[in-house]
Amino acid sequence: MMLFLFIFPELQKVSLSLCSQRTFFDAQKAVFEEYTMNKNKREKEFYSIDVGDSTFIVLKRYQNLRPIGSGAQGIVCSAYDQLLERNVAIKKLSRPFQNQTHAKRAYRELVLMKYVNHKNIIGLLNVFTPQKSLEEFQDVYLVMELMDANLCQVIQMELDHERLSYLLYQMLCGIKHLHAAGIIHRDLKPSNIVVKSDCTLKILDFGLARTAATGLLMTPYVVTRYYRAPEVILGMGYQANVDIWSVGCILAEMVRHKILFPGRDYIDQWNKVIEQLGTPTQEFMLKLNQSVRTYVENRPRYAGYTFEKLFPDVLFPADSDHNKLKASQARDLLSKMLVIDASKRISVEEALKHPYINVWYDPAEVEAPPPKIPDKQLEEREHTVEAWKELIYKEVYDWEEWNRNGVIRGQPSPLGMSSPASSSSSVNDVSSMSTEPSDPSSDPTMTSETDSSLDSHTSLGALACCR
């Protein structure tokens, strides 16, 4: 009975204290008959198709499915949405209920994507499951706008200061929006940032994002190896500006056209950092726990290089006459982002005011209202796989209810209805899943919650803005 009430919340409104038991069961029977009719109708809405090595069971509105990539998190394909008359990306989450870690990650990703709504952050066009009940529930499909390329590909291009600066500005706007809601992304990397031919940029993949908690020692091995901040490598507690270190690494890669700190494992990663930036001060050492401090203090000491040596003018494009953007400004921003001691690292608010960035400053983008995440205990939740499954099923069911009532993300809701994140962005403001080549090296220190890389097959032909 409890399962029945969970699937049909309207039955909870029937109070046994106000009506007879017979009335209650009459209502129950009516809802069940309606459910049976909807079930039969639902079966006709879906079709099955093999995409690569996987079988997709999708709504008939999605046609011409083509594989884009696959990885630990899921399989992504492109498709044409006949209802919206546009190309989209569809991600099928891979075995989301195989264990508690995967189930929690799937729930976290779905909840954040439903409620975060900013032009520089991924959002959902649709979410659905072909299964007809909680007992059958196995698959979750996320539908997003199809983008042109991810930043891995753009990094190989020669960008002028305007494009470099504008891409960074958009990254920082998206990050600020997340941070305003207490969300730390934790997995920023070029493959999780996608662009369109007009230089529109969006941040995606919230499988590792989590809400901030002051003083909480968070999972140490999270961010993809090359973009990990020192506080992550060394197992320290960390705060929102852990994402700023990752942006600094990405900016450095866009300038150098190669990874800044290409560590083979977390020890080698730390060595790469201090070889270039220098051994940190004793003030920083005192913040480490004793065993980590002993290890760090016993490493060879490095003086490091100045940022003028690490990033000489020759690496940058010619200074811009139009916006007065210069190599010296970009280098100064790098020097403020790539700071080992997080307490001395620039914040996202400060970065947005930096001379290299603030030429694009638009209050509507920078100061957009933060998303309102309804689940305030998103990170503290610990459940069985079955309990996570119920929570995810309810999120999918709620979304389908909104759609059945004519609610489309980014458009006004019918009277009396509300949809997640429907206030500021249009449908055109949401983004697809990116794909990236899988990391060729293995890292035994990484948990199963680490990398969501997907193989890329995206063409660069449309990226006219980045040429």
Side-chain angles (χ1 to χ4, degrees):
M1 177 62 71
M2 288 306 295
L3 176 60
F4 195 75
L5 290 177
F6 168 74
I7 298 175
F8 305 114
E10 59 265 35
L11 286 186
Q12 297 177 48
K13 299 175 183 176
V14 183
S15 172
L16 290 177
S17 63
L18 299 177
C19 65
S20 68
Q21 189 174 15
R22 179 178 177 182
T23 303
F24 174 79
F25 284 109
D26 284 345
Q28 179 178 330
K29 180 181 177 183
V31 174
F32 182 75
E33 287 173 350
E34 182 182 354
Y35 172 68
T36 303
M37 290 174 58
N38 288 337
K39 201 174 173 185
N40 295 331
K41 182 181 176 183
R42 184 182 181 85
E43 288 173 349
K44 297 176 183 178
E45 293 176 346
F46 289 84
Y47 74 102
S48 176
I49 182 171
D50 290 335
V51 180
D53 296 330
S54 180
T55 300
F56 274 50
I57 305 174
V58 298
L59 293 161
K60 288 183 178 178
R61 63 187 276 191
Y62 301 115
Q63 296 291 324
N64 304 326
L65 273 66
R66 299 284 185 274
I68 296 175
S70 61
Q73 249 194 307
I75 299 166
V76 183
C77 69
S78 63
Y80 182 74
D81 184 345
Q82 294 179 322
L83 182 61
L84 295 181
E85 298 183 336
R86 62 184 295 181
N87 292 318
V88 297
I90 303 176
K91 177 179 179 180
K92 178 185 179 181
L93 297 184
S94 291
R95 301 171 63 203
F97 311 121
Q98 62 179 299
N99 56 45
Q100 287 174 298
T101 298
H102 280 73
K104 180 174 182 176
R105 180 171 182 166
Y107 175 74
R108 180 168 53 201
E109 181 176 15
L110 178 55
V111 168
L112 294 182
M113 286 173 64
K114 280 179 70 174
Y115 291 95
V116 170
N117 189 39
H118 188 276
K119 65 183 294 184
N120 299 126
I121 300 175
I122 188 175
L124 284 179
L125 289 173
N126 199 8
V127 55
F128 63 86
T129 178
Q131 284 85 44
K132 300 173 287 295
S133 67
L134 177 62
E135 289 81 4
E136 297 173 281
F137 185 42
Q138 284 297 326
D139 301 316
V140 180
Y141 293 85
L142 311 176
V143 184
M144 292 139 285
E145 181 185 3
L146 186 65
M147 301 291 278
D148 293 323
N150 64 37
L151 216 59
C152 293
Q153 297 150 302
V154 176
I155 279 171
Q156 304 308 317
M157 300 177 177
E158 296 293 337
L159 306 179
D160 59 24
H161 280 295
E162 274 79 12
R163 289 168 176 81
L164 195 59
S165 164
Y166 184 54
L167 290 171
L168 282 171
Y169 164 73
Q170 292 179 86
M171 273 185 246
L172 292 167
C173 282
I175 292 168
K176 183 180 184 298
H177 190 66
L178 294 176
H179 290 183
I183 301 168
I184 303 173
H185 190 285
R186 305 199 303 164
D187 196 31
L188 286 168
K189 53 187 175 182
S191 62
N192 280 347
I193 299 168
V194 287
V195 295
K196 276 199 162 183
S197 58
D198 61 357
C199 274
T200 299
L201 176 146
K202 298 177 189 291
I203 297 169
L204 50 89
D205 193 349
F206 294 104
L208 295 179
R210 71 178 298 157
T211 49
T214 305
L216 178 65
L217 180 62
M218 299 182 185
T219 313
Y221 306 119
V222 174
V223 183
T224 300
R225 181 185 311 117
Y226 310 139
Y227 310 95
R228 289 188 199 144
E231 58 267 34
V232 179
I233 299 171
L234 300 175
M236 306 166 70
Y238 56 90
Q239 301 298 329
N241 70 351
V242 69
D243 288 336
I244 293 299
W245 174 275
S246 300
V247 174
C249 291
I250 292 169
L251 172 56
E253 197 168 330
M254 294 172 79
V255 171
R256 285 184 162 194
H257 305 297
K258 62 181 182 180
I259 295 165
L260 181 61
F261 303 122
R264 295 184 303 273
D265 51 49
Y266 77 98
I267 293 175
D268 189 46
Q269 188 71 29
W270 173 247
N271 289 338
K272 290 289 193 296
V273 170
I274 61 174
E275 284 168 13
Q276 297 192 60
L277 300 185
T279 300
T281 63
Q282 189 61 30
E283 178 187 1
F284 176 80
M285 299 289 194
L286 293 174
K287 298 177 182 180
L288 304 173
N289 71 49
Q290 187 58 56
S291 60
V292 175
R293 189 193 316 166
T294 300
Y295 168 78
V296 172
E297 289 179 334
N298 286 334
R299 302 302 301 157
R301 297 191 65 82
Y302 295 95
Y305 300 95
T306 65
F307 275 78
E308 285 74 13
K309 283 278 182 68
L310 288 173
F311 302 99
D313 285 350
V314 69
L315 294 179
F316 294 91
D319 289 353
S320 164
D321 292 330
H322 177 62
N323 285 308
K324 309 301 181 185
L325 296 172
K326 302 178 180 178
S328 58
Q329 295 171 330
R331 187 165 45 236
D332 182 70
L333 181 59
L334 278 165
S335 73
K336 289 176 166 61
M337 288 180 164
L338 296 173
V339 176
I340 290 177
D341 189 340
S343 68
K344 300 181 180 355
R345 191 180 306 147
I346 195 171
S347 68
V348 65
E349 291 82 7
E350 292 167 334
L352 281 161
K353 295 175 183 175
H354 191 277
Y356 194 67
I357 301 296
N358 71 358
V359 292
W360 310 106
Y361 198 100
D362 180 347
E365 297 168 344
V366 175
E367 300 160 19
K372 295 178 181 178
I373 310 300
D375 190 347
K376 302 302 183 185
Q377 283 75 45
L378 189 57
E379 294 312 319
E380 288 68 33
R381 284 180 177 271
E382 293 299 337
H383 298 298
T384 64
V385 170
E386 285 303 312
W388 283 121
K389 188 175 178 180
E390 284 193 27
L391 286 167
I392 295 169
Y393 185 77
K394 186 176 187 306
E395 292 294 333
V396 176
Y397 178 82
D398 286 348
W399 183 280
E400 292 181 345
E401 280 297 295
W402 287 316
N403 281 347
R404 272 195 284 273
N405 283 277
V407 177
I408 299 176
R409 181 187 176 93
Q411 296 183 4
S413 303
L415 188 63
M417 288 295 296
S418 62
S419 67
S422 63
S423 58
S424 62
S425 296
S426 72
V427 172
N428 291 327
D429 282 339
V430 289
S431 167
S432 74
M433 301 308 299
S434 83
T435 59
E436 72 165 329
S438 298
D439 192 339
S441 57
S442 60
D443 185 353
T445 67
M446 302 290 278
T447 70
S448 60
E449 204 183 73
T450 52
D451 203 345
S452 57
S453 58
L454 300 170
D455 299 321
S456 176
H457 303 286
T458 311
S459 168
L460 292 177
L463 290 180
C465 80
C466 294
R467 288 175 181 163

